[in-house]
Amino acid sequence: MSTNAALFERAQRSIPGGVNSPVRAFRAVGGTPRFITRAQGAYMWDAEGQRYIDYIGSWGPMILGHGHPEVLDAVQKAVVDGLSFGAPTEREIELAEEILKLVPSAEQVRLVSSGTEAGMSAIRLARGFTGRSRLIKFEGCYHGHADALLVKAGSGLATFGHPTSAGVPPEVVQHTMVLEYNNVEQIEQAFAEVGNEIACVMIEPIAGNMNFVRASVPFMKRLRELCTQHGALLVFDEVMTGFRVALGSAQSLYAQQIAGFKPDLSVFGKVIGGGMPLAAFAGPRDIMAKLAPLGPVYQAGTLSGNPVATACGLTTLKIIQRPGFYEALGQRTQSLIQGLAGAAQQAGVPMVGDSQGGLFGFFFADHLPQNYPAVMAHGSDKFNHFFHAMLARGMYFAPAMYEAGFVSAAHTEQDIADTVAAATQALS
Ligand code: KE4
């Protein structure tokens, strides 16, 4: 049987870096990636037969755990009827209706195949709808790898962004402004300077791409007001938080705290595909009507609304609506975070964590960071040691300190207890 190292060696000969998505290469934490052979429930097994309790869940999709019988059954039935038609199907309507039932801020939804594609399309739609070019995003948020989003802050607020990736010409990111997450002064200043040029503001309401940072309610309230006042669209990137942090996604949490709160556009992925390539963007009818074939904003996709992916996603979305699903998931995730914090305290290691629904994060710090510089201030040494100490004990956490963690409905209290026991050893 090939070992992980042998497979990694071989993979690097035919695939750049040996992986099809960079974070999988373990470059942030070092060491050899685990080549997974199969997964079931809360567990995954690697090429050497090692079992792991999985706290990544494919970076969010596997909220039910791996291999849920009803999901597998729906997928197997769909496969037999046809893998892809390139023509409309009833199940796309069913999935669209199910998403809209759970997202009161949206009246129509377009299905695509990845979160990147959904975010890229939402930005084009916002620009087409407003006739404006400027886009605001926040440092530490990741919205997929579309060119306009691979950008870091310019020198001044309203000055040009600078590409963070080779191959992205400066003129492509010149309209993208990068502000500090949770910084009210900066959004006030940006809107004061160029408010009537801003097509949209794109934000992760809970930033899972800088581990776990919540947008504060005052910040979000002010952002909503400024967008409304200046005619800019507020785009919620809920690819990670959508149906993960609550049945109504993160936007339902802000709607509970800010009267009448709604984003203008929402981007979804991960959970709505249940592990298969499926993402979406959604909004009010008047905005979505700008999309081809109705309106002038072009957007398309060969596998958009794929019949097998919609079977997987639709079954997943129906199961998460069962009574008590999020209460149980939230309690399970909280017991993990509380257990880890208790183990850290016992070992005299500063650690603080947070969670919402099935999403969690923890920091080797004294208090929760509110923005990217604060997240990165602690360095990654402690995390990297912890990661490997846990991996050696069969616990698979995200291989980078700026990533969030994910608990599924299949994780049991025993799994959490075993994880905390391993953490107690690892932290000491
Ligand atoms: P995809 O194109 O990877 O499906 O989605 C991009 C995306 C968009 N928006 C948010 C908030 C996201 O978290 C993501 C993708 N998340 C990463 C995890 N940090 C996926 C893991 C990976 O890149 O391999």
Side-chain angles (χ1 to χ4, degrees):
M1 178 172 359
S2 294
T3 63
N4 292 307
L7 286 167
F8 192 38
E9 163 64 29
R10 187 173 140 215
Q12 291 177 78
R13 289 202 288 275
S14 54
I15 303 171
V19 293
N20 287 308
S21 196
V23 70
R24 302 177 190 169
F26 275 27
R27 296 176 80 92
V29 291
T32 302
R34 298 318 193 244
F35 281 69
I36 303 303
T37 53
R38 68 184 181 90
Q40 182 57 44
Y43 314 121
M44 295 201 294
W45 285 263
D46 73 9
E48 296 170 14
Q50 168 73 43
R51 190 198 84 160
Y52 300 94
I53 299 181
D54 177 15
Y55 287 106
I56 300 183
S58 178
W59 302 96
M62 309 319 294
I63 194 166
L64 301 180
H66 296 283
H68 189 291
E70 293 172 67
V71 173
L72 294 190
D73 184 50
V75 168
Q76 284 159 352
K77 283 195 173 69
V79 162
V80 170
D81 289 343
L83 294 173
S84 182
F85 311 121
T89 62
E90 182 178 5
R91 197 154 48 237
E92 289 163 83
I93 308 170
E94 290 176 288
L95 180 53
E97 289 171 349
E98 206 66 27
I99 291 169
L100 295 172
K101 189 174 85 176
L102 300 171
V103 185
S105 64
E107 293 174 309
Q108 291 218 315
V109 57
R110 171 62 56 89
L111 303 179
V112 296
S113 298
S114 75
T116 291
E117 193 182 353
M120 173 181 75
S121 306
I123 290 169
R124 185 180 312 128
L125 176 58
R127 286 171 159 166
F129 180 76
T130 60
R132 301 174 180 181
S133 300
R134 282 188 185 272
L135 148 71
I136 289 178
K137 74 172 288 287
F138 297 93
E139 189 183 30
C141 289
Y142 174 68
H143 304 296
H145 61 88
D147 280 354
L149 291 161
L150 296 181
V151 56
K152 59 177 180 284
S155 50
L157 282 193
T159 57
F160 299 166
H162 302 294
T164 53
S165 166
V168 176
E171 51 272 7
V172 167
V173 297
Q174 65 182 327
H175 302 296
T176 308
M177 298 157 64
V178 182
L179 306 185
E180 186 172 86
Y181 200 75
N182 276 322
N183 188 320
V184 174
E185 293 72 50
Q186 285 197 7
I187 53 174
E188 295 277 10
Q189 185 185 347
F191 274 93
E193 287 180 17
V194 292
N196 62 359
E197 298 171 31
I198 297 169
C200 65
V201 178
M202 194 169 212
I203 189 166
E204 286 187 68
I206 297 177
N209 285 288
M210 43 178 162
N211 196 319
F212 189 107
V213 181
R214 296 174 188 270
S216 75
V217 172
F219 172 75
M220 190 61 84
K221 185 171 186 298
R222 192 64 190 121
L223 185 57
R224 176 65 273 174
E225 288 166 356
L226 287 166
C227 285
T228 303
Q229 186 185 335
H230 293 270
L233 299 188
L234 178 57
V235 182
F236 255 35
D237 180 346
E238 298 230 42
V239 167
M240 192 183 282
T241 55
F243 313 104
R244 165 62 62 177
V245 299
L247 182 57
S249 304
Q251 54 192 271
S252 66
L253 305 174
Y254 286 95
Q256 287 163 6
Q257 306 195 57
I258 304 169
F261 179 87
K262 284 181 180 180
D264 296 304
L265 288 176
S266 300
V267 182
F268 297 106
K270 297 180 192 280
V271 168
I272 69 166
M276 296 205 72
L278 196 152
F281 57 107
R285 194 179 298 278
D286 64 327
I287 300 177
M288 299 299 282
K290 289 287 181 187
L291 277 174
L294 286 183
V297 178
Y298 194 69
Q299 184 275 329
T302 301
L303 296 177
S304 297
N306 172 272
V308 182
T310 52
C312 192
L314 184 59
T315 309
T316 300
L317 280 192
K318 287 193 186 303
I319 295 170
I320 63 174
Q321 295 180 62
R322 288 178 184 162
F325 181 88
Y326 284 91
E327 288 75 12
L329 182 63
Q331 281 161 17
R332 194 67 30 89
T333 312
Q334 273 174 359
S335 65
L336 171 70
I337 287 301
Q338 286 157 2
L340 291 179
Q345 194 173 25
Q346 204 179 336
V349 175
M351 179 196 274
V352 64
D354 195 0
S355 73
Q356 187 74 43
L359 189 70
F360 71 88
F362 57 87
F363 303 87
F364 287 104
D366 298 317
H367 53 272
L368 286 171
Q370 295 302 308
N371 56 41
Y372 185 69
V375 167
M376 302 312 279
H378 303 284
S380 58
D381 284 355
K382 279 204 183 84
F383 174 84
N384 293 354
H385 281 289
F386 180 74
F387 170 82
H388 281 291
M390 294 298 276
L391 191 69
R393 291 172 172 78
M395 309 291 162
Y396 196 97
F397 281 81
M401 63 163 280
Y402 47 79
E403 297 285 1
F406 305 86
V407 172
S408 81
H411 285 73
T412 63
E413 277 304 336
Q414 186 57 53
D415 292 324
I416 303 301
D418 293 348
T419 307
V420 171
T424 303
Q425 293 173 6
L427 288 161
S428 62

